[in-house]
Every structure is written in structure tokens, then in C-alpha cells.
Amino acid sequence: MSKRIAVLVSGGGTNLQALIDAQARGALRGGKICAVIASKPGILALERAAKAGIPGYVVARKDYPSSQAMTAALVDKLGKLDIDLVVLAGFMVILTGEMVQAFPNAILNVHPSLIPSFCGEGCYGLHVHEKALEYGVKVTGATVHFVSEECDGGPIVLQKAVDILEGDTPEALQRRVMEQAEWAILPQAVALFCQDRLRVEGRTVHILPPRP
Ligand code: GAR
């Protein structure tokens, strides 16, 4: 049976768009994007969902007294929607442990660096690329990982490297990491999950061959 996917977003939603495009070309076999949940109203990602005919919802941090209460509301919503896989695609709110307990090894996050470099609390979005340039690394990239209770610390599913070029700015690097890495590996990881091809053993995620 097809897995029901919810994509959680906070901004522009280019990674959501990569998932929508992958679904349209049949590359998410075994899964279906059934909901897009935004952490604030009025964001471009919700427009992308509407255009693709995917129901959009808002669960905003400011409507709840604590992040625990917001997490509980999200878990409740995902349960009602009968979701099998949660994808954090540029979702900028840190959720509490209840989320991971409700969806063990069933939440994927995309992060714009090669974890364990340039990750963890406070390291998100453009900051990640600023830090990579400040440090002077020659290679960066993107990671898709399962979400655990440790921020950016869960088992790694896929990674892709991107070269840093002379004269790179954080903005130019952010764009190239998205184009060359994130938009490719996020749909790929989602498809592998939906086809039951990911097996987690400790910190290692084994990728199983396609079923005949
Ligand atoms: C992406 O680069 C994503 O990897 C990053 O935010 C951007 C969202 O862009 N996520 C994080 O930094 C999470 N720690 P998008 O809204 O266009 O997909």
C-alpha cells in the first residue's frame, strides 16, 4: 500500500517543489504527498502545495504556549491524516521528543551541509553556508537523515558533496547546494523509504536493493 507522506515547511519550499516534481514524473513510487504543513501562514511553500492540489495546513508556534504543546498538536494532526512518513523540508522549528517517539525512524530531514560538519542547534539555512565559508572548507554538500532526539544527529540516509568555488558568497553556495545536492537526494531518500529499502542498524542506514 502506498505510504502517506506529510511535508513540513517554513519558507520558500524549493525542496517541497523538488518532491512535487519527483512525484509528477513518477519518481516517488510507493508514496504519495498527502499534506503540506507550514509553521506559519502565507509562505510560498503553501502556494506551491495549493498549485499541486495538495492540502495545506498551518501549525504555528505562536499559537501554542510551548514547543511541547505545538509538537503535540502536530502529532495529533499527523495522526488524523494517517501519515506514514514525515519529511522536514526547510522546517525551522525544533520539535520536542514526542514527535520522534510518535514517528520512530519515520521522519526525514534535509540539512544543507555534510553532517557532522556545520550542523546542530542554531545552524540552519544561510548560517550553515556562512560557517562553511568562514571555516574555509573546500567541499560542502547536503545530508538527508532520520530525525532522532539529538538535533541533526540521527542516522544518515544519503549525502552528496558540492565543491566550494573561488569567490563564493553564502547565497551563491546555498543555491548550488540546493541545485546540485538537496533537490536530488531528498526525493531519492523519500522514494527509498516508500519502497521499504532503508534498514536502520544503530547509526548506519543500509540501502537495500530494489525488489523485483
Ligand atoms: C534548505 O537549504 C534546507 O536544507 C535548509 O533550509 C533550506 C530551506 O529551503 N534546512 C535547514 O537548514 C534545516 N536545518 P526551501 O524552503 O527552499 O526548501
Side-chain angles (χ1 to χ4, degrees):
M1 222 181 54
S2 182
K3 296 215 196 301
R4 293 175 59 81
I5 305 166
V7 185
L8 274 50
V9 291
S10 295
T14 65
N15 279 289
L16 165 67
Q17 191 65 54
L19 290 168
I20 292 171
D21 295 346
Q23 174 162 278
R25 61 173 189 272
L28 290 192
R29 201 168 44 83
K32 182 169 187 254
I33 308 169
C34 295
V36 169
I37 303 181
S39 64
K40 46 186 180 233
I43 61 174
L44 182 56
L46 282 171
E47 281 176 43
R48 294 181 192 271
K51 222 184 218 164
I54 301 165
Y57 308 88
V58 177
V59 178
R61 173 67 183 85
K62 66 168 179 41
D63 295 337
Y64 299 91
S66 62
S67 48
Q68 198 152 13
M70 183 205 175
T71 305
L74 248 169
V75 169
D76 184 59
K77 181 98 218 148
L78 294 164
K80 287 194 173 115
L81 292 166
D82 199 18
I83 293 303
D84 301 300
L85 170 66
V86 181
V87 180
L88 309 185
F91 189 67
M92 300 306 189
V93 180
I94 295 190
L95 300 167
T96 57
E98 286 81 357
M99 182 73 184
V100 179
Q101 284 147 27
F103 291 90
N105 287 339
I107 309 170
L108 291 173
N109 179 48
V110 60
H111 183 79
S113 75
L114 294 174
I115 290 175
S117 289
F118 313 117
C119 63
E121 235 171 296
C123 203
Y124 58 89
L126 201 59
H127 302 306
V128 180
H129 306 290
E130 284 165 359
K131 285 187 187 206
L133 289 174
E134 254 167 47
Y135 199 94
V137 291
K138 298 296 186 195
V139 175
T140 184
T143 302
V144 177
H145 64 94
F146 279 117
V147 173
S148 69
E149 296 206 21
E150 185 194 341
C151 180
D152 294 330
I156 290 171
V157 178
L158 293 174
Q159 291 189 299
K160 192 160 190 279
V162 173
D163 285 337
I164 289 184
L165 304 180
E166 200 55 48
D168 255 343
T169 60
E171 291 78 8
L173 184 57
Q174 179 179 50
R175 180 76 194 177
R176 239 180 26 264
V177 167
M178 284 176 162
E179 282 172 356
Q180 294 181 11
E182 296 183 49
W183 301 341
I185 63 173
L186 183 60
Q188 216 178 321
V190 167
L192 288 168
F193 180 95
C194 291
Q195 291 154 25
D196 288 320
R197 291 180 54 199
L198 299 177
R199 191 164 52 80
V200 183
E201 206 179 289
R203 285 211 48 82
T204 304
V205 179
H206 297 282
I207 298 178
L208 309 178
R211 285 155 194 248

